[in-house]
Amino acid sequence: MEKLTFYALSAPEKLDRIGAYLSERLIRDVSRHRYGYVCIAMEALDQLLMACHCQSINLFVESFLKMVAKLLESEKPNLQILGTNSFVKFANIEEDTPSYHRSYDFFVSRFSEMCHSSHDDLDIRTKIRMSGIKGLQGVVRKTVNDELQANIWDPQHMDKIVPSLLFNLQHVEESESRSPSPLQATEKEKESPTELAERCLRELLGRAAYGNIKNAIKPVLIHLDNHSLWEPKIFATCCFRIIMYSIQPQHSHLVIQQLLGHLDANSKSAATVRAGIVEVLSEAAVIAASGSVGPTVLEVFNTLLRQLRLSIDYALTGSYDCGAGVSTKIIKEHEERMFQEAIIKTIGSFASTLPTYQQSEVMVFIMNKVPLPSTQQSIESGKAGENRNRLTQIMLLKSLLQVSVGFQCSNMLTALPSVFLDRLLSAALMEDAEIRLFVLEILISFIDRHGNRQKFSTISTISDISVLKLKVDKCSRQDTVFMKKHGQQLYRHIYLICKEESNVQAHYEALYSMLMLISIELANEEVMVDLIRLVLAVQEIAQINEDNLTAYNRCALFALGAAYLNLISQLTTVPTFCQHIHEVIQMRQKEAPYLLPEDVFVERPRLSKSLDRLGPEVFFWQSKISEVLGGSGYNSDRLSTPYVPQLTDEDRLSKRKSIGETISLQVEVESRNSPEREQRAPAEEITYETLKKAIVDSVAVEEQERERRRQVVEKFQKAPFEEIAAHCGARATLLQSKLNQIFEITIRPPPSPSGTLTAAYGQPQNHSIPVYEMKFPDLCVY
């Protein structure tokens, strides 16, 4: 062997003939079953290959690959393994010159076939599969960096390589579950086809460039489809975890786009399959956060929301054709519900990976998809349409809640732009109790920036606020601007939600949290005053009971007011205010415990029917609160003015508002911002006659104008040239004379009425009139 190696190195041009001779011998020995000579020939080839890294190696390699192919074609597992080992050694050699005419198609096919070996003997099966994986690894290493080689990323190759690796990842052999302890096992025994396949897959994906990702991921999706691996989703999740951690971070969004496209392609698959794809998407999004989710962020949410809408349709119609004939598949509603929950969770996962400004955009995008009475085109009529609208509203608001929970933004103006807040609050006026609750929860998650929400989860009258350990920051300038802009809107919706008869304990808890969080996060002195007025107005709703609320609703509103004023009095730290609130609460404990949260917000509320016969001592009085807070520097005039909600266009959208109230909008809208209404001049009375007269007059004026224009056009079309010239000349002469007058005035201004001034050189000088005080002729004023 030494002499042969020396000869080959001395005369590299002879390598080709040496290779051809050894190849001929090996093929003959294989066919004659002389396996000892086969091993010797392969050993000789390996050693020559390792020794001769020169330009002539290309000629020698052809013979070498022919021999390896011959071994791989053999039925004997040992020969297959021998051939593979030689190929792997060759794959690790970095050649100096590229090869133009080498083909690895056979090796890809054969190694893939070995990966799927089903030999009866478990040990031999494992060895053949491992050889197949190593062979594929060798092909990838040999071809991936050489542009002149056959492109390994072509679908024809990827469709064989990737499923072969996934097949070995998927099948954990029984022997592996009872593998010896690490101390007893040798290094060779420790490695299994599963571990080797995973390592090979990671290496393959790590080498993938931008344009090759798609070809590498598509076979994964097809494999998971063909083997129904989305439903348990454990293997699918595991695969995509490997993929997301192996590829270059900047390519993450390509994988996510592939998954979204696959979800669309499976729109009519079983709910469990779609749920599996969505779960995998969710996992992938979290990992992609370290790289980039890509430029098409809204497209991601658009796809997910479209799938959500489809799922709602499937659940309602019971058919994948949405009512167009009977579907062959039986749709299970609980499975669709699971799929919807998976989508909502994924929307939350995606949103949490985005920067704040993109999260804001996403929330506006989702809110615009919510069908509201204000957007007539998105509301469907009929019983089925109402059900669909309701389910869509609930699912989208759930999605919005998922996004808002992970949203952190110190500036409320940025977090809640007008376009978003207006639509969100209009949903708060809907009759559906569940939708109202979602809206409140979303608002709470935005306002609560210091994690105080849980401290107000139960309504109670605490004697010492310090036990809550609240985190309070000073109200920032942006928060003040936000409350100036949107405060009245928020108060109005809180007030209107309080009047709803379908409210349950969860609604009152959310309202309580909302009031407290506004007081802690967004309140300056003016906001505090408005909130106290609002709560007193809510007490009045329960007291007067114009809306015919039930005893529970009325008691709940009284209890809500007591709990809020109890905490707010301690926050303002005005002793006389605290004392008044404390006295009323004590009086309620003695006379009417059913007006306190401890008796109302329990499993079995203790209520009273005689709420109309209550004495004045159990109510909080506006005059008293105004007096005690006015003495401490608060605006007593504003405090003593009862809160009246401003009416807006929104009331037209609410089914519960009467036509009379809608018509009276013009009157009420005058009192927009402050409750103190200015005295206005009485408006002109509008009657049928005045309207008729206005219409007739405007028609007559239009007729006259049209006639005058017609005469001018006709004159210029039909009159002789001399007449037109004379007419225009007369106008030009008139204009010139007026211009001359103006020049006279500007050059020699008239003397000033205040007399003359003497200039420095002793000459009297007239005051010039400033241009803006001059009187110009009418013709010159344009």
Side-chain angles (χ1 to χ4, degrees), residues 405-418:
V405 165
F407 184 71
Q408 287 296 323
C409 183
S410 54
N411 186 349
M412 289 298 289
L413 278 168
T414 315
L416 291 168
S418 296

Side-chain angles (χ1 to χ4, degrees), residues 574-612:
V574 177
T576 47
F577 182 32
C578 291
Q579 188 184 345
H580 170 64
I581 302 300
H582 190 59
E583 280 171 6
V584 174
I585 288 172
Q586 277 188 326
M587 190 57 72
R588 284 189 182 185
Q589 283 168 347
K590 283 182 199 168
E591 304 288 331
Y594 45 83
L595 301 185
L596 292 172
E598 286 78 7
D599 272 34
V600 178
F601 301 116
V602 288
E603 198 174 329
R604 290 182 180 169
R606 290 180 285 281
L607 308 173
S608 168
K609 300 285 183 190
S610 57
L611 290 173
D612 297 322

Side-chain angles (χ1 to χ4, degrees), residues 42 45-46 49-50 52-53 57-58 60-62 64-66 68 83-95 97 99 102-104 107 111 135 138-139 141-143 149:
M42 280 317 294
L45 273 171
D46 287 349
L49 205 58
M50 302 306 285
C52 305
H53 289 215
I57 198 171
N58 266 337
F60 175 61
V61 166
E62 289 305 311
F64 170 76
L65 290 177
K66 200 188 292 178
V68 171
T84 305
N85 291 342
S86 289
F87 184 82
V88 170
K89 286 175 192 167
F90 160 68
N92 290 330
I93 295 172
E94 287 187 22
E95 295 179 55
T97 52
S99 165
R102 222 178 274 163
S103 170
Y104 292 99
F107 294 100
F111 288 136
V139 173
R141 282 180 186 170
K142 200 70 190 160
T143 56
Q149 302 281 12

Side-chain angles (χ1 to χ4, degrees), residues 171-212:
H171 289 87
V172 180
E173 300 294 353
E174 291 172 19
S175 61
E176 289 170 32
S177 59
R178 355 180 254 272
S179 60
S181 69
L183 294 171
Q184 297 168 334
T186 63
E187 199 61 39
K188 290 280 181 191
E189 283 174 298
K190 277 185 202 173
E191 198 162 52
S192 66
T194 309
E195 290 162 10
L196 192 60
E198 183 179 331
R199 206 162 63 242
C200 185
L201 185 62
R202 285 183 188 279
E203 187 180 331
L204 176 72
L205 292 162
R207 291 168 183 266
Y210 182 87
N212 303 328

Side-chain angles (χ1 to χ4, degrees), residues 22 144 209 233 384 397 413-414 568 635 745:
L22 283 171
V144 81
K233 81 173 184 291
L397 289 172
L413 278 168
T414 315
I568 207 74
N635 184 341
I745 293 167

Side-chain angles (χ1 to χ4, degrees), residues 518-535:
I518 294 174
S519 310
I520 291 169
E521 296 278 353
L522 305 170
N524 52 18
E525 192 177 298
E526 189 182 329
V527 173
M528 282 289 199
V529 168
D530 280 345
L531 286 168
I532 292 167
R533 290 170 57 231
L534 171 64
V535 171

Side-chain angles (χ1 to χ4, degrees), residues 97-154:
T97 52
S99 165
Y100 298 91
H101 52 83
R102 222 178 274 163
S103 170
Y104 292 99
D105 292 11
F106 167 77
F107 294 100
V108 171
S109 301
R110 184 66 187 131
F111 288 136
S112 299
E113 201 178 319
M114 287 166 69
C115 287
H116 289 85
S117 169
S118 55
H119 198 281
D120 296 336
D121 189 319
L122 181 61
D123 289 338
I124 293 173
R125 182 162 75 224
T126 303
K127 282 178 184 172
I128 293 174
R129 286 186 182 181
M130 286 180 72
S131 287
I133 296 164
K134 284 176 185 170
L136 289 175
Q137 196 172 21
V139 173
V140 171
R141 282 180 186 170
K142 200 70 190 160
T143 56
V144 81
N145 293 324
D146 192 346
E147 290 176 10
L148 295 166
Q149 302 281 12
N151 189 359
I152 201 71
W153 300 106
D154 283 347

